Amino acid sequence: MSVNVAIDGPAGAGKSTIARTAAKKLGYIYVDTGALYRTVGLYSIRKGFDTKNAESVVETLGDIKITLGFKDGEQRVYLNGEDVSEAIRTPEASMGASNVSSIPKVREFLFDLQKDIAKENDCLMDGRDIGTVVLPDAQVKIFLTASPETRAMRRYKELVEKGSDVKFEDVLDDLIKRDYQDTHREIAPLKQADDAVLVDTSNYDFDGSVDAVMAVIKEKLDK
């Protein structure tokens, strides 16, 4: 039986980088489910569709093939054969992901892919509804968060390092909007699972955040 670790939390909480590092330490496959939604959002944006228009987005699903590759234990995302691992990390793709993730047909489209990966591998999967919907029976569930200002500053620095011309205020505003969308959507809203352990990384650096997550995982698995 495979071992599954579910990490949920709001945008900018550091889920991807922390989860990726924890997965390497554990020797598990890391699955960034947010990347899957970003890929659907990116495809719709490239086609010129409004990602809030469910009918238009759903029409594109038949033309989308998303595959995951793992290079040195790190997830790479392919859209119809193209590696879009970097292209899906823009603020535009992030908001597109939030919009399409509220569409039931999109969630159905990606649900089986996520479940199959978890069934076949020891994996650490992060997202918005992993512990509540995708992997409700995961052996370990963590809700990873930090203050909006802390999360926005982390995202801002990440974007600046990649050469993006952004303002901190705009990043914070986008993050607050996404928080609202993610927690208020009708389908699988972002919330902490009843049996998830809350980990707030507002006062931790990266290494401290990883240590906090690893401590929870080890404690749960030792039981």
Side-chain angles (χ1 to χ4, degrees):
M1 179 179 175
S2 59
V3 176
N4 296 155
V5 178
I7 299 184
D8 291 306
K15 293 188 304 297
S16 297
T17 50
I18 292 169
R20 185 183 299 115
T21 302
K24 282 184 179 179
K25 288 177 177 288
L26 292 163
Y28 292 4
I29 282 177
Y30 163 62
V31 183
D32 170 12
T33 61
L36 305 178
Y37 289 98
R38 286 170 178 268
T39 304
V40 174
L42 176 68
Y43 188 80
S44 295
I45 291 168
R46 285 180 170 181
K47 288 295 183 181
F49 296 140
D50 179 358
T51 52
K52 291 182 179 179
N53 186 321
E55 187 175 343
S56 295
V57 174
V58 170
E59 283 180 3
T60 70
L61 295 180
D63 301 324
I64 296 176
K65 182 181 180 182
I66 302 174
T67 52
L68 300 180
F70 295 92
K71 187 176 181 181
D72 298 327
E74 184 171 324
Q75 176 181 284
R76 305 299 293 180
V77 186
Y78 299 89
L79 169 60
N80 296 337
E82 175 195 353
D83 187 342
V84 292
S85 304
E86 275 73 46
I88 60 175
R89 296 299 168 187
T90 65
E92 186 180 27
S94 179
M95 190 55 71
S98 185
N99 291 336
V100 302
S101 67
S102 67
I103 302 172
K105 289 290 184 183
V106 173
R107 304 198 74 84
E108 290 175 18
F109 176 70
L110 296 174
F111 185 76
D112 288 342
L113 175 60
Q114 297 170 50
K115 295 283 281 188
D116 288 345
I117 293 172
K119 188 185 302 180
E120 297 167 4
N121 302 277
D122 290 340
C123 75
L124 197 157
M125 189 178 292
D126 77 51
R128 298 290 189 280
D129 63 347
I130 309 306
T132 53
V133 177
V134 181
L135 301 177
D137 297 322
Q139 290 91 334
V140 184
K141 297 181 187 178
I142 295 171
F143 192 85
L144 189 69
T145 190
S147 69
E149 292 76 17
T150 298
R151 291 185 283 124
M153 181 54 70
R154 290 172 180 168
R155 181 60 58 84
Y156 169 74
K157 288 179 178 178
E158 180 183 307
L159 290 168
V160 169
E161 286 175 4
K162 291 181 178 178
S164 297
D165 182 17
V166 293
K167 295 179 180 178
F168 170 75
E169 293 77 12
D170 293 338
V171 176
L172 177 60
D173 185 53
D174 284 346
L175 184 142
I176 290 172
K177 287 178 181 175
R178 181 155 192 198
D179 280 354
Y180 184 85
Q181 285 188 349
D182 289 344
T183 55
H184 287 77
R185 66 186 182 218
E186 289 185 22
I187 305 297
L190 169 66
K191 64 179 180 179
Q192 182 177 342
D194 292 339
D195 54 348
V197 177
L198 177 67
V199 176
D200 188 321
T201 66
S202 297
N203 298 316
Y204 293 156
D205 61 10
F206 177 73
D207 289 339
S209 300
V210 172
D211 288 345
V213 166
M214 288 297 294
V216 173
I217 294 172
K218 288 180 177 178
E219 180 184 355
K220 290 288 186 181
L221 294 183
D222 284 347
K223 289 181 179 178

